[in-house]
Amino acid sequence: MTAEIIFEYFIFFYGSLLIASYLMLAIFSMITIIKYKNYNSNLDDETLYTSDITPGISIVAPAYNEEKIISTNVHSLLALDYPLFEVVIINDGSKDKTLDILINEFSLVEVPYAYVEKIKTKPVKRIFKSTNPLYEQLTVVDKENGGTKADASNAGINASVFPYYLCTDVDCILARNTLLKMIKPVLINKKKVIAVGATMRMVNSCEVKKGILIRVKPPKALIPRFQELEYIRAYLLSKMGWSLINCVPNVSGGLGLFDKEVAIRAGGYDGKSHAEDMDLITRMISYMINNKQKYVVDYIPLSCCWTEGPPNLNILARQRVRWSAGLLQLFTVHRKILFNPKYKRIGLVVFPYAFIFEFLAPLVELGGIISIIYLLFFGKINWDFALIIFLFSYCFTVMISTLVVIWDNITFKYYRNFTEVLKLILVAFLEPILYHPLITFFGIRGYLKFLFSKELKWGTMTRKGAHSN
Amino acid sequence: MNILDQLIELYYEIKTFAPIIQAVIACIIFSVSLIITMFTYLFIMRISHQKEVKQKKQIRPKITRLFEEILFQNKIYETDEIYEKYIAIVGKLNPKKIKLAIDILLQVKFNSSKKSDRYINIVNALDIENYLEKKLNFSRGATKMKTLQMLQQLDLRSLDTKVLPYTYSKNEELKREARFSHLHLSDNDPYRFLDEISGDLTYWDEINLLKFLKIHNEKNQLSNLGKWINYSENTSLTIFLIKAAGLFEQQDTKEVLFTKINSINHKVRTQAYDSLGKLKASEYESTFIEKFFTEREECQLAIIKSIGILNTGNATNFLKKAYESAKSVTLKKEIALVSYTYKSNYNLFEELKSAQNGFDKTIFQHIETQLIKFK
């Protein structure tokens, strides 16, 4: 058997397995979403809101050079609907006026604070509280720059007081009921829920007033619109699907609710990780397994967080290179988990799936491109069949994306009219041709960067702050 | 050659392909059909949603105003009058319009700070009971569950017997909700399912149980929880009931709670210390102090909190000793917090603070800083 035939068989089985996994996830996510819709109602929010024993939540939001948006977005976090919460903002040695703006806007003064370093971080310089009773839930931690979001988040966890923390970015706009919705899986589950995630979307063209989301719209620019569809698919299809069998691979760093005690015992975020969110979940799960405790990582199908998507190719490239470098780093650091029965689901399902269909995918696609060039060169392509195969992959991709848009509309109708939904569906037709090749390219660049360069910085993104009016 | 002939020709051509290619073509046809179907479904769903939103936008404020008038104004409306006024806004009464009325009624109830005993007038006028009864009898589990929640929110006690069949449902969620409803709605033995709760309570169960016990408490109809605390074999339920006894300040449960500080389960002991503090059981203070130094940290924290609430002024030496022996920051913080407001002959807080330096001093400064809300 020649290498050519072996590769063809490999691609056939790889592709078939990938398609089968998507179909399986579609069924799983449908079951989970229907179950969620059936057994949750807005009446629960009222119950939770008025209860005397509702658990407190700390919102932990690191900030680095966020002067354009910091004020508006902290106001937005303080305006969330929940009976017992605090907002902890960590200024990670910003070089701009982030801290000055916070001090002036929220009437902050330095206070003596019994800060316990449960997780090691770069030194904390000062802790501020507001003299204005309106902002009594706000704590601002000013620390030396740790170089990563992970280090700043750890300082926020150390300074927080409640048993659960919601990790987010200061550039994110949260739905007002986010805390009410995200704590619910923790409360209803008999097993210990160590983390809960929810869907994130793009804020780029949404109407936001004083940090409050007024109207959701699909992004006008093509790149954030591609990413909106990609996010909805990743959350509603993949993460919701995996949550049915408690195999959620990751809770996003942009929005995730975590059990503080377990996060601390697992060592908090790894300051050296490029993918600190997936790394934390992996370590929290490992901690639970090593200590023979049952755990759940859950997801809710609601969109609770709107973040600014990369407005151009440069920023998209930076984001994706960082993510894929993080993925490779994760498999390097936690290699003992892969295919290890001791780690149960994470060892036998989560890691193998992520390794085969996420980590290897860009490499397989690169192999496919090289193979096509080779076949083209030797005139070995059967164009009729090639076209049929291409058409099949294309139709399947569009079908999955359309299905996800339906799920999204069944869960909640975020867009006002059909035209806006249509705009999102239309990018599903362009995505496989325009967006996906770029993602593959950036993915490979990320692997190369991880292998040949050790540079690691905050996931900086040039903020337009366009939504912050 | 017409299209049909072309299709037939294509069909025979495809039949000559390899089976795998035939399968792929079938998948393409399936995917395309599904895309078209989903697209159409989405279109219909959005159009009808938009229509509904538009209609609700017009009539919702009118219904809200009407209900607020009925509930909170001086004028008492007759049933017929309410019915006439409602259908004047929405047109012919049908299940959809009744559902809308329930939604708005609940919204008014939650958003208004005023209380009213006239909710039942609207319920009767729009035949809401009958609507909910039908929903309970002829719908799937999830709808039944939401209907039960509505019965609770609307306080429809007359339907309590309709709830009973579901209290033994195989659907766990429905069974749980039905038992909550029974606890809320039943006038005849509302607590019967407290004896039957098996397994650990979830936090959500506790929130709901507490909500309904609170309703009974507000009406002065809450039974003495002591008997369940004493006899229940379900530890999780016992802990919850001890907590509830403290929250509702059930003085009659003191003795039973006192026996629980000898429980072998530290969670039971912690909750018992905590609730006895809330009940201001100062007669047990010396026992708390005796037990403190041999207890686990969770229990120690509860003891310190309780001593702070009792605030008898007799525990100054104990608090001093407890602080000196405390190892964890959490315990030190709690003792500092209690000593800050503790009634004593001398300023205990200042004395303890002056003896500290470094981080321990910061703990005291932290406690006395009024700007820090959550200590």
Side-chain angles (χ1 to χ4, degrees):
Chain A
M1 208 187 268
T2 63
E4 199 181 300
I5 293 174
I6 292 171
F7 185 73
E8 278 175 13
Y9 269 105
F10 169 71
I11 293 296
F12 174 76
F13 286 114
Y14 187 86
S16 306
L17 274 174
L18 185 63
I19 288 166
S21 73
Y22 268 102
L23 291 174
M24 179 197 77
L25 284 175
I27 295 166
F28 282 7
S29 66
M30 186 179 72
I31 296 170
T32 324
I33 291 170
I34 290 173
K35 219 172 149 190
Y36 182 86
K37 287 281 286 176
N38 282 345
Y39 293 106
N40 287 278
S41 79
N42 290 338
L43 294 174
D44 298 340
D45 294 356
E46 184 64 30
T47 302
L48 200 50
Y49 197 85
T50 51
S51 176
D52 298 324
I53 56 170
T54 301
I57 302 174
S58 303
I59 299 173
V60 172
Y64 177 66
N65 292 346
E66 300 281 8
E67 61 180 13
K68 278 188 184 165
I69 52 164
I70 191 78
S71 164
T72 321
N73 289 24
V74 172
H75 275 292
S76 144
L77 292 176
L78 289 166
L80 295 182
D81 290 335
Y82 197 73
L84 187 62
F85 75 102
E86 62 166 349
V87 176
V88 184
I89 305 291
I90 309 96
N91 175 49
D92 195 38
S94 297
K95 289 174 188 142
D96 65 359
K97 289 182 181 162
T98 303
L99 185 63
D100 297 334
I101 291 171
L102 282 170
I103 290 173
N104 292 329
E105 178 70 24
F106 297 99
S107 316
L108 300 179
V109 290
E110 192 182 340
V111 292
Y113 198 95
Y115 174 87
V116 183
E117 202 178 60
K118 293 163 198 150
I119 310 167
K120 190 103 187 102
T121 65
K122 283 272 177 187
V124 165
K125 292 193 275 187
R126 294 171 293 176
I127 291 183
F128 296 91
K129 293 293 293 183
S130 175
T131 52
N132 186 341
L134 281 177
Y135 310 128
E136 62 184 5
Q137 300 129 292
L138 177 65
T139 304
V140 174
V141 178
D142 181 33
K143 67 180 276 289
E144 276 180 21
N145 182 266
T148 59
K149 186 188 161 190
D151 192 65
S153 302
N154 287 338
I157 297 169
N158 289 338
S160 66
V161 294
F162 292 123
Y164 300 97
Y165 74 91
L166 181 112
C167 193
T168 185
D169 296 326
V170 280
D171 64 306
C172 289
I173 303 284
L174 301 187
R176 296 206 40 178
N177 58 1
T178 299
L179 299 176
L180 291 167
K181 296 294 182 192
M182 289 187 74
I183 193 72
K184 182 86 191 292
V186 176
L187 305 178
I188 57 169
N189 230 303
K190 286 204 168 170
K191 287 183 196 158
K192 194 173 186 70
V193 178
I194 57 170
V196 181
T199 307
M200 288 175 72
R201 301 172 94 107
M202 300 296 115
V203 76
N204 296 53
S205 299
C206 296
E207 285 174 26
V208 180
K209 215 173 186 179
K210 289 184 178 165
I212 310 278
L213 194 70
I214 305 293
R215 165 133 147 72
V216 179
K217 285 180 181 173
K220 279 184 193 145
L222 211 52
I223 290 177
R225 209 190 302 173
F226 278 135
Q227 203 162 10
E228 170 115 337
L229 182 67
E230 191 189 14
Y231 269 34
I232 297 173
R233 195 173 49 225
Y235 286 101
L236 286 186
L237 185 86
S238 177
K239 291 176 181 175
M240 281 308 294
W242 286 123
S243 73
L244 182 75
I245 52 168
N246 196 19
C247 282
V248 175
N250 182 21
V251 170
S252 166
L255 180 72
L257 183 105
F258 301 88
D259 183 303
K260 192 168 87 178
E261 196 194 335
V262 178
I264 290 173
R265 285 178 190 273
Y269 293 96
D270 179 3
K272 293 191 186 91
S273 176
H274 296 253
E276 69 282 344
D277 46 6
M278 195 167 171
D279 177 78
L280 176 68
I281 279 293
T282 306
R283 278 182 301 110
M284 285 173 81
I285 293 173
S286 304
Y287 169 82
M288 296 300 281
I289 292 171
N290 290 335
N291 287 284
K292 296 187 171 47
Q293 290 183 47
K294 288 185 175 170
Y295 70 91
V296 171
V297 178
D298 213 346
Y299 250 88
I300 58 167
L302 302 174
S303 296
C304 291
C305 177
W306 279 259
T307 184
E308 199 172 324
N312 58 46
L313 271 183
N314 276 340
I315 297 173
L316 177 73
R318 215 185 297 164
Q319 183 194 55
R320 292 313 166 105
V321 166
R322 183 171 169 265
W323 288 4
S324 45
L327 194 63
L328 178 52
Q329 187 187 31
L330 188 89
F331 286 117
T332 315
V333 174
H334 299 287
R335 57 188 175 277
K336 65 170 184 187
I337 294 177
L338 192 62
F339 298 113
N340 187 344
K342 185 195 157 196
Y343 287 94
K344 296 172 186 172
R345 287 172 195 188
I346 189 173
L348 297 176
V349 182
V350 180
F351 259 50
Y353 185 86
F355 182 77
I356 296 168
F357 295 116
E358 285 176 30
F359 170 70
L360 286 184
L363 302 173
V364 172
E365 285 181 50
L366 181 70
I369 292 166
I370 295 168
S371 149
I372 286 174
I373 295 168
Y374 164 79
L375 294 173
L376 208 63
F377 189 75
F378 290 101
K380 285 182 171 180
I381 292 181
N382 180 333
W383 285 104
D384 288 340
F385 288 172
L387 203 69
I388 290 171
I389 300 289
F390 171 77
L391 197 64
F392 165 65
S393 331
Y394 181 78
C395 288
F396 184 77
T397 313
V398 175
M399 180 187 84
I400 289 291
S401 296
T402 317
L403 192 71
V404 168
V405 176
I406 297 237
W407 277 191
D408 185 46
N409 274 269
I410 288 173
T411 312
F412 194 86
K413 290 166 187 68
Y414 293 96
Y415 298 148
R416 192 173 280 177
N417 52 47
F418 182 65
T419 321
E420 289 178 350
V421 180
L422 200 61
K423 281 182 186 170
L424 194 66
I425 294 182
L426 283 181
V427 295
F429 288 89
L430 299 175
E431 193 199 9
I433 306 156
L434 293 181
Y435 186 68
H436 187 73
L438 286 173
I439 298 302
T440 305
F441 173 65
F442 297 143
I444 291 168
R445 253 179 68 185
Y447 297 159
L448 294 174
K449 191 173 177 186
F450 175 75
L451 293 172
F452 300 111
S453 153
K454 291 288 168 196
E455 187 194 359
L456 176 70
K457 278 183 183 165
W458 261 79
T460 47
M461 191 169 92
T462 314
R463 304 259 176 250
K464 282 189 159 181
H467 60 276
S468 309
N469 43 37
Chain B
M1 203 159 49
N2 62 27
I3 295 172
L4 190 68
D5 291 335
Q6 278 181 358
L7 283 176
I8 292 167
E9 196 177 305
L10 189 66
Y11 172 74
Y12 281 109
E13 198 184 332
I14 290 169
K15 278 198 88 175
T16 64
F17 294 165
I20 187 74
I21 298 296
Q22 287 183 29
V24 169
I25 291 170
C27 288
I28 294 172
I29 295 167
F30 172 74
S31 301
V32 172
S33 328
L34 203 61
I35 292 169
I36 295 168
T37 313
M38 287 191 292
F39 202 77
T40 316
Y41 171 70
L42 201 57
F43 177 73
I44 295 167
M45 183 212 283
R46 292 301 312 212
I47 295 296
S48 62
H49 172 72
Q50 226 162 315
K51 237 170 143 180
E52 208 177 297
V53 168
K54 206 174 160 187
Q55 198 190 22
K56 278 186 183 170
K57 212 174 165 182
Q58 285 170 348
I59 60 173
R60 247 190 130 90
K62 291 182 192 167
I63 302 172
T64 308
R65 267 198 302 278
L66 172 68
F67 285 174
E68 282 173 345
E69 213 174 288
I70 297 166
L71 295 168
F72 309 119
Q73 298 298 314
N74 292 335
K75 186 182 170 190
I76 309 277
Y77 286 84
E78 292 297 320
T79 312
D80 290 346
E81 211 177 342
I82 297 171
Y83 176 79
E84 293 299 333
K85 280 193 177 267
Y86 187 71
I87 60 161
I89 299 171
V90 300
K92 203 179 161 202
L93 201 63
N94 59 30
K96 248 186 170 173
K97 307 279 168 59
I98 299 176
K99 172 79 178 47
L100 180 66
I102 297 172
D103 287 346
I104 298 174
L105 198 58
L106 290 176
Q107 199 189 336
V108 171
K109 195 174 177 185
F110 295 140
N111 294 344
S112 172
S113 50
K114 296 178 209 164
K115 293 213 166 190
S116 170
D117 52 4
R118 293 183 217 155
Y119 285 96
I120 196 70
N121 299 0
I122 301 175
V123 168
N124 291 338
L126 303 181
D127 208 10
I128 287 175
E129 265 190 21
N130 190 25
Y131 166 81
L132 291 176
E133 195 179 334
K134 275 186 191 156
K135 279 251 168 199
L136 263 186
N137 292 337
F138 307 108
S139 57
R140 64 205 170 97
T143 317
K144 281 192 174 92
M145 223 180 90
K146 286 181 182 163
T147 309
L148 288 171
Q149 287 181 335
M150 286 178 193
L151 292 183
Q152 295 159 18
Q153 303 289 350
L154 292 170
D155 204 15
L156 295 180
R157 288 166 180 272
S158 50
L159 289 183
D160 68 326
T161 50
K162 300 286 169 192
V163 171
L164 271 175
Y166 305 110
T167 53
Y168 290 99
S169 168
K170 280 180 187 161
N171 178 334
E172 276 300 320
E173 277 94 352
L174 180 61
K175 182 169 97 177
R176 189 179 56 199
E177 200 61 54
R179 289 180 174 200
F180 289 151
S181 299
H182 181 79
L183 174 59
H184 179 187
L185 303 173
S186 173
D187 289 323
N188 178 28
D189 194 13
Y191 306 100
R192 65 185 274 192
F193 293 111
L194 278 186
D195 296 324
E196 293 181 29
I197 292 176
S198 57
D200 287 349
L201 293 177
T202 64
Y203 207 108
W204 188 244
D205 292 334
E206 290 192 20
I207 287 175
N208 274 294
L209 281 172
L210 197 72
K211 179 173 90 174
F212 300 121
L213 294 181
K214 198 173 173 182
I215 293 169
H216 285 282
N217 190 50
E218 278 166 4
K219 292 178 181 168
N220 290 324
Q221 289 169 354
L222 183 63
S223 289
N224 184 339
L225 299 172
K227 58 179 172 182
W228 289 287
I229 294 171
N230 210 6
Y231 299 117
S232 176
E233 285 170 9
N234 183 333
T235 312
S236 160
L237 180 67
T238 308
I239 294 169
F240 166 74
L241 292 171
I242 296 173
K243 188 193 286 181
L247 285 170
F248 299 125
E249 294 175 17
Q250 288 204 323
Q251 294 295 334
D252 299 345
T253 58
K254 269 186 197 172
E255 280 176 27
V256 180
L257 295 190
F258 185 64
T259 63
K260 294 294 171 188
I261 66 171
N262 294 317
S263 164
I264 50 163
N265 185 314
H266 74 276
K267 287 182 182 167
V268 175
R269 293 200 305 275
T270 305
Q271 198 54 64
Y273 288 126
D274 191 82
S275 291
L276 282 168
K278 288 195 175 96
L279 292 175
K280 304 241 163 53
S282 51
E283 61 271 34
Y284 303 128
E285 189 179 46
S286 54
T287 316
F288 289 2
I289 292 172
E290 268 168 39
K291 285 186 168 281
F292 179 84
F293 294 99
T294 53
E295 273 293 12
R296 291 172 65 123
E297 190 179 320
E298 293 98 315
C299 299
Q300 287 183 325
L301 279 167
I303 290 174
I304 296 293
K305 270 184 201 165
S306 293
I307 284 182
I309 297 170
L310 297 177
N311 205 3
T312 57
N314 302 329
T316 18
N317 286 338
F318 160 71
L319 286 170
K320 239 163 102 178
K321 246 168 88 184
Y323 186 85
E324 280 156 15
S325 68
K327 296 279 180 293
S328 86
V329 175
T330 321
L331 192 56
K332 281 183 180 177
K333 254 177 151 179
E334 196 58 49
I335 300 170
L337 187 64
V338 165
S339 66
Y340 188 64
T341 48
Y342 200 72
K343 188 169 74 182
S344 65
N345 299 335
Y346 58 98
N347 195 333
L348 174 67
F349 182 82
E350 281 304 325
E351 191 185 301
L352 283 172
K353 184 183 160 189
S354 61
Q356 312 304 320
N357 48 41
F359 181 75
D360 283 352
K361 187 147 198 151
T362 313
I363 292 178
F364 284 85
Q365 290 167 337
H366 177 113
I367 296 299
E368 64 186 342
T369 305
Q370 296 303 310
L371 297 179
I372 301 172
K373 187 185 178 189
F374 306 114
K375 305 290 185 188

